[in-house]
Amino acid sequence: MGQTSIATGIVSAYDPTFGFNGGPQIENRTIDEIYEAALAEGGIVTVWHGGDETNQQDGLKQAFEARFPNITLNITVDVSKYHDGNIDRQLATGGVYVDSVILQTLHDYPRWDEEGALLHYLPLNFYDLEPSFRDLRGAWYGVLVFGWSFIWNQDKVSEGPKEFDDFLKPEFKDKLVLTYPNDDDAVLYAFDLILQQYGYEWFEKLLEQNPRWVRGTGTPVTLISQSNSTSSVTFTAGVGLTAPEPLAISFPTQGQFVTWPQRAAILKDAPHPEGAKLLHNFLLSEEHQSSLGSWSVRKDIPAPAGYAELADIPSTNPDGFESFMADRARAERLRLFFEDKIGTAQGLSPLKDEL
């Protein structure tokens, strides 16, 4: 077989050099005008969204399609670390069929931008975003704030934890359910923050509590909520700032808890760019941001009642996760460190289990 035949495999359509190709597209239409353009384009938006339960974005689909009739939001939820490799495959083969990507793998976005794969687009309300949550040229920007809180079932636990040391109390033995830190980078980051502050001895004592290790950050909430489960407490999940009964939440004031802006980007070769623009403008709109029940990525939208602004909370740094994710060599060493202590992640993908 000659070299010509060999070379007809994967060929990237993207230029990994400097890419001096002009400024971003700046949105100056109303959202209703973007809606009309999306309808004319075909009325479809295809999104890949990070997550670990297939139904996690059903609310977004329902809200978006209700707001924009005759627009179909095809949204696929999967673990971000699996989505990104499949996006790379699309980019490498020139077969892009996804319009928008909203993932936890923050380090992928600068790389994709360097490869010329992302649309530089400044949606409406772009400058209302926290400056550190947005790329200067609109290659990516945060669309929602995620974070881990202390969560417990009030029907099973008389008093919930307030600081990380509380998880070592005798009353929580055999009641903790935690996501494998070696299976999820955001949980890995949480453990990194804890051990940097409390030392390795804290982790040894945590293991003596006999926690149940699970895959996915949605799984602990499911187990805690079940009346027939002994699992009662976790710190590797989030339910927003208003917990559904009988759950309760708190945030540490001495230890550091994890928050980050989940990033979104439109692929430059997206087959439905107008639909993707409509979705991103909706995600950053005041109506949507105010409905999330959490901190907003927009600096002009106040925190929910009873909570301080995210930037004013000393026990979290929403920009820290980006730096953690960017150092892939250290993250991999840390992942293997915890894998040695608790074993490889066991069980089906959280998208396929029955919990």
Side-chain angles (χ1 to χ4, degrees):
M1 184 180 293
Q3 287 185 338
T4 302
S5 298
I6 294 174
T8 58
I10 297 175
V11 178
S12 175
Y14 299 92
D15 181 6
T17 56
F18 296 113
F20 299 133
N21 53 4
Q25 298 178 22
I26 301 174
E27 188 58 78
N28 56 17
R29 299 171 292 177
T30 67
I31 198 163
D32 288 332
E33 289 172 333
I34 304 170
Y35 172 39
E36 292 301 323
L39 284 172
E41 184 183 63
I44 295 174
V45 194
T46 299
V47 180
W48 279 7
H49 202 298
D52 47 33
E53 297 290 343
T54 56
N55 63 352
Q56 278 179 333
Q57 296 304 320
D58 286 0
L60 172 59
K61 177 178 173 65
Q62 293 164 5
F64 182 73
E65 292 181 349
R67 174 65 176 81
F68 303 105
N70 300 315
I71 298 285
T72 299
L73 176 58
N74 296 319
I75 189 163
T76 300
V77 175
D78 201 349
V79 179
S80 292
K81 65 181 181 181
Y82 300 150
H83 265 330
D84 66 352
N86 288 317
I87 292 168
D88 283 337
R89 174 69 181 175
Q90 288 184 45
L91 297 176
T93 58
V96 173
Y97 59 89
V98 171
D99 301 307
S100 169
V101 288
I102 306 174
L103 304 178
Q104 174 182 299
T105 50
L106 305 188
H107 60 291
D108 283 318
Y109 291 84
R111 173 175 64 85
W112 284 330
D113 188 35
E114 286 184 4
E115 294 170 358
L118 303 182
L119 180 68
H120 291 174
Y121 172 69
L122 275 54
L124 301 170
N125 305 305
F126 179 79
Y127 290 106
D128 291 324
L129 294 171
E130 292 287 349
S132 63
F133 292 180
R134 53 181 165 84
D135 174 66
L136 184 65
R137 300 162 300 164
W140 49 260
Y141 29 83
V143 293
L144 73 161
V145 173
F146 277 156
W148 307 147
S149 57
F150 298 169
I151 308 172
W152 65 94
N153 188 320
Q154 298 176 94
D155 292 341
K156 301 178 183 180
V157 176
S158 58
E159 183 179 357
K162 297 297 185 288
E163 299 293 342
F164 285 107
D165 274 341
D166 292 338
F167 289 91
L168 308 181
K169 291 180 176 180
E171 56 262 39
F172 293 143
K173 186 175 178 64
D174 300 321
K175 295 182 179 180
L176 304 181
V177 54
L178 303 171
T179 305
Y180 284 100
N182 44 311
D183 198 38
D184 185 292
D185 278 342
V187 176
L188 184 66
Y189 178 49
F191 274 85
D192 188 27
L193 291 175
I194 298 167
L195 268 64
Q196 292 292 342
Q197 182 172 359
Y198 290 91
Y200 180 68
E201 296 77 11
W202 180 92
F203 183 66
E204 289 183 319
K205 293 177 181 178
L206 180 74
L207 294 181
E208 293 174 3
Q209 295 287 71
N210 192 33
R212 177 177 178 179
W213 299 100
V214 298
R215 299 194 66 192
T217 57
T219 307
V221 176
T222 300
L223 290 170
I224 289 171
S225 301
Q226 293 174 348
S227 59
N228 61 350
S229 169
T230 58
S231 298
S232 308
V233 189
T234 191
F235 60 83
T236 61
V239 292
L241 301 183
T242 304
E245 293 286 348
L247 303 185
I249 66 169
S250 67
F251 294 92
T253 58
Q254 299 174 16
Q256 292 285 313
F257 65 95
V258 174
T259 55
W260 77 94
Q262 190 89 326
R263 285 180 179 173
I266 298 172
L267 296 179
K268 187 177 69 175
D269 288 345
H272 310 105
E274 296 300 332
K277 292 173 185 177
L278 180 65
L279 174 64
H280 284 211
N281 280 279
F282 173 73
L283 290 173
L284 296 180
S285 67
E286 183 175 0
E287 64 176 292
H288 182 72
Q289 287 290 312
S290 299
S291 73
L292 295 175
S294 184
W295 293 287
S296 174
V297 293
R298 287 176 52 169
K299 59 182 184 293
D300 62 328
I301 294 180
Y307 287 92
E309 299 300 326
L310 191 59
D312 296 332
I313 301 174
S315 53
T316 192
N317 174 14
D319 297 326
F321 187 46
E322 177 183 21
S323 298
F324 176 85
M325 292 293 282
D327 190 346
R328 299 314 302 165
R330 184 178 182 277
E332 178 66 9
R333 292 196 305 272
L334 195 61
R335 184 184 70 82
L336 293 175
F337 172 83
F338 283 107
E339 186 172 293
D340 176 57
K341 308 305 177 187
I342 61 178
T344 56
Q346 299 297 305
L348 295 173
S349 162
L351 282 88
K352 298 177 181 178
D353 65 23
E354 298 179 353
L355 293 175

